[in-house]
Amino acid sequence: MNTLPQQLANGLLLGSMYGLIAIGYTMVYGIVQLINFAHGEIFMTGAFGALTVYFYILPDGTPMAVAVPLMLIGGGIVAILIAVGAERFAYRPLRGAPRLAPLITAIGLSLALQEVVRNFYPGADRARAFPGLDATHDLGSITIKDADIFLIVSAVVCMAALAYFVRKSRTGRAMQATAQDPDTAQLMGIDTNRIIVIAFAIGGFFAAVAAVAYGLKYGNVDYRMGFLMGLKAFTAAVLGGIGNIYGAMLGGLVLGIAETLASAYIDEIPGMQQLGGQSWANVWAFCLLIIVLLVRPQGLLGERVADRA
Amino acid sequence: MTALLEVEDLKVAYGKIEAVKGISFSVEAGQVVTLIGTNGAGKTTTLRTLSGLLKPLSGKITFDGKPLTGVPAHKIVALGLAHSPEGRHIFPRLTIAENLQLGAFLRKDTAGIEKDIQRAYELFPILGERRKQAAGTLSGGEQQMLAMGRALMSQPKLLMLDEPSMGLSPIMMQKIMATIAELKAQGTTILLVEQNAQAALSLADQGHVMEVGKIVLSGTGQDLLHDESVRKAYLGED
């Protein structure tokens, strides 16, 4: 159970989840230089959107093979609407305002979303049961659940689709141009507002995918689930080099693996017996962030600011 | 015949500071018109307002018979007004070919776009040789060529060039100016902002001298080249 290959698999899975959420931070930052601190809560609302589809829309006993895709759509729609709404009504009016104003708005929005879900969603103030995908498979020395397969497959598909979209599509090209030089992008005829909305929408959808995976894997969701996951995903985005979509995924994987290995093995180092276990995982995650930023302030795949013309 | 571009009493301000204080000029189809003047005279502000990046305080801009005030920047390109900005502003992490394609962002005629990209490579052979290279790796002069080529990709009725010779070596500057002359000979209508007054006026049909937000002197390029006050202030003679 606690063999090294199993721990690596656990880390990879956790990291894929961080990476999916980190995409939302990094795309928005890359285009409008805004840290959307409400993104963790967008992840959370995605989970509740999916839960709503399962408990309140689908008939009881719907097979999971049918339910999961519909939950993805439901969660995706909710997360996209909230992400795009936040851009339109909270952040856009503040474009051009001092940096602190949108940051505080993001924190406020994050609290507001938590409180709305806590007060108005039945049972959201406690851990609310989410349908699990718990059937297990033994692959040699590691054991994984169906939920893990869903997570890894959707992470790979989402990332590949995003990479293709950004590099090859006309809108993706416009997105790169807007990220590199928004004024000049407008001179090319690019509607940069539309590009910004698309970035928020993609981030929202990816967060919803991660949220469904989270629910399926851990079996419950609550109104606070976005806080720590959001913080970790933001850490992953910074670790990988904020603004870079490949960095977000890499940062997520590095963070997930490092955190998992640290909590599994660090107590075997003499003198550090008290520092192992899950309760210290966050400490090691943020230590890793600090160390990487000391050596590479731009993050693993980030470009030095001086390189940006 | 009405002018292609008509600017009437245009005022632009950054906050409370008025950078352009009521200027009027026009550009006829086929003409090269230049705005010259020192730093801070309001030339770049004027171009950025024409292309919609800045909102005017007051005044009227008419392009090809249509009012431009209030039209967002990304829609102005579609009307046929292309702007090669000061400082070149190529997209550094995209390739040269991708930069040129972005210049044709609103066009749908794939074959025509390809043809125009080839034409840009003919006009600037160095761009063709390095088409797969990231634009940020080009020299300043090459970036200027790319910025001009990119602006031409939208098939503009009016090409606005902001300081194309800025920061270039004398040889590169000559090359760029020769290209502008070539474009003029092909019939391209150009609004040229330059600090290199000598070069700009020699090319221009019409010139306007700007000082602290106002047009203080207007005339044909040749008239201004031989105007005593212009020679003193901008051509370094005493």
Side-chain angles (χ1 to χ4, degrees):
Chain A
M1 181 63 196
N2 279 328
T3 59
L4 181 61
Q6 179 71 51
Q7 294 297 351
L8 282 172
N10 291 350
L12 192 71
L13 288 162
L14 183 63
S16 310
M17 205 183 290
Y18 290 157
L20 278 173
I21 309 172
I23 290 293
Y25 284 103
T26 224
M27 284 189 74
V28 165
Y29 184 84
I31 291 176
V32 282
Q33 280 76 50
L34 161 80
I35 304 290
N36 177 15
F37 270 122
H39 189 61
E41 274 59 47
I42 289 167
F43 160 79
M44 181 268 291
T45 57
F48 281 93
L51 192 68
T52 307
V53 170
Y54 185 79
F55 278 113
Y56 301 107
I57 296 177
L58 294 176
D60 286 352
T62 307
M64 286 306 274
V66 178
V68 169
L70 294 174
M71 288 160 72
L72 265 183
I73 294 171
I77 289 172
V78 170
I80 288 172
L81 285 179
I82 293 195
V84 169
E87 192 282 321
R88 183 65 191 83
F89 298 109
Y91 300 136
R92 193 181 298 182
L94 293 173
R95 224 177 281 154
R99 279 285 186 78
L100 210 49
L103 188 69
I104 292 169
T105 304
I107 294 170
L109 185 62
S110 153
L111 289 171
L113 287 170
Q114 282 191 30
E115 288 307 306
V116 166
V117 172
R118 182 171 77 94
N119 284 302
F120 298 105
Y121 199 97
D125 52 343
R126 304 171 297 277
R128 173 140 189 191
F130 197 96
L133 278 182
D134 297 324
T136 57
H137 306 271
D138 288 322
L139 307 172
S141 57
I142 62 174
T143 304
I144 58 169
K145 297 200 289 186
D146 276 349
D148 298 329
I149 296 173
F150 169 81
L151 170 56
I152 202 85
V153 169
S154 50
V156 169
V157 170
C158 283
M159 279 309 294
L162 180 65
Y164 182 83
F165 169 76
V166 169
R167 297 180 77 90
K168 299 289 179 201
S169 75
R170 182 167 174 273
T171 307
R173 188 73 53 74
M175 198 167 256
Q176 286 178 280
T178 306
Q180 291 179 28
D181 194 329
D183 271 3
T184 309
Q186 292 185 57
L187 294 181
M188 304 296 111
I190 296 168
D191 181 353
T192 49
N193 275 328
R194 193 176 138 261
I195 298 296
I196 292 167
V197 167
I198 292 171
F200 271 87
I202 293 175
F205 180 72
F206 278 37
V209 172
V212 171
Y214 179 101
L216 295 171
K217 185 168 162 62
Y218 299 117
N220 62 64
V221 295
D222 67 74
Y223 76 99
R224 283 171 312 183
M225 66 187 275
F227 175 71
L228 198 56
M229 285 304 282
L231 203 56
K232 289 293 195 52
F234 170 62
T235 305
V238 174
L239 195 62
I242 194 147
N244 182 320
I245 57 172
Y246 307 104
M249 210 62 204
L250 177 69
L253 294 179
V254 168
L255 190 69
I257 291 171
E259 179 183 324
T260 308
L261 293 185
S263 41
Y265 296 114
I266 217 155
D267 57 357
E268 290 175 15
I269 300 170
M272 298 183 78
Q273 286 87 346
Q274 280 91 47
L275 305 181
Q278 193 55 41
S279 52
W280 283 82
N282 295 338
V283 174
W284 303 125
F286 294 115
C287 282
L288 174 69
L289 175 71
I290 292 168
I291 293 166
V292 169
L293 291 187
L294 281 174
V295 183
R296 266 185 82 80
Q298 69 272 38
L300 297 171
L301 299 184
E303 284 154 81
R304 291 200 312 276
V305 175
D307 289 346
R308 298 189 168 190
Chain B
M1 192 186 119
T2 53
L4 179 61
L5 175 75
E6 192 87 52
V7 176
E8 289 164 68
D9 199 22
L10 182 71
K11 289 183 185 167
V12 193
Y14 296 100
K16 284 190 176 159
I17 301 161
E18 229 173 70
V20 173
K21 303 172 178 172
I23 62 169
S24 302
F25 67 94
S26 62
V27 180
E28 307 271 350
Q31 272 191 331
V32 173
V33 173
T34 186
L35 301 178
I36 60 170
T38 54
N39 256 338
K43 311 182 301 291
T44 294
T45 305
T46 304
L47 291 199
R48 286 175 69 83
T49 309
L50 291 177
S51 60
L53 291 175
L54 295 172
K55 299 281 161 262
L57 209 57
S58 66
K60 218 170 115 189
I61 306 167
T62 315
F63 179 69
D64 205 14
K66 298 176 201 80
L68 281 195
T69 26
V71 181
H74 68 269
K75 292 200 171 146
I76 287 181
V77 202
L79 299 174
L81 186 61
H83 181 174
S84 166
E86 180 183 16
R88 308 184 269 271
H89 287 270
I90 44 95
F91 298 108
R93 293 187 295 280
L94 294 176
T95 66
I96 287 154
E98 287 169 335
N99 267 274
L100 290 172
Q101 282 159 8
L102 274 167
F105 186 73
L106 296 174
R107 291 172 58 186
K108 305 273 185 252
D109 55 324
T110 321
I113 293 172
E114 204 36 57
K115 221 172 105 193
D116 282 356
I117 288 181
Q118 293 312 321
R119 192 173 303 157
Y121 292 156
E122 277 161 34
L123 196 59
F124 305 111
I126 190 82
L127 298 183
E129 287 166 29
R130 304 191 173 176
R131 62 188 81 185
K132 295 243 156 79
Q133 215 170 302
T137 63
L138 295 177
S139 76
E142 291 158 2
Q143 291 189 12
Q144 184 57 53
M145 294 174 184
L146 179 57
M148 286 168 61
R150 186 182 62 181
L152 285 168
M153 286 301 296
S154 66
Q155 296 180 315
K157 294 179 186 134
L158 172 62
L159 174 64
M160 302 198 295
L161 300 173
D162 196 350
E163 303 276 8
S165 76
M166 189 171 74
L168 301 186
S169 68
I171 292 173
M172 200 47 103
M173 189 186 296
Q174 267 179 12
K175 250 184 175 166
I176 293 288
M177 286 301 169
T179 309
I180 297 172
E182 200 178 324
L183 291 173
K184 178 189 176 182
Q186 291 170 11
T188 315
T189 312
I190 298 173
L191 177 56
L192 173 66
V193 157
E194 257 298 334
Q195 284 194 52
N196 182 347
Q198 172 84 48
L201 290 174
S202 331
L203 276 173
D205 299 302
Q206 280 288 319
H208 305 279
V209 181
M210 284 188 78
E211 268 172 29
V212 285
K214 287 191 169 138
I215 290 179
V216 292
L217 193 62
S218 300
T220 67
Q222 289 307 313
D223 283 350
L224 292 179
L225 259 185
H226 297 108
D227 182 276
E228 200 168 326
S229 62
V230 172
R231 296 181 76 85
K232 269 189 187 159
Y234 301 105
L235 303 177
E237 295 179 15
D238 43 26

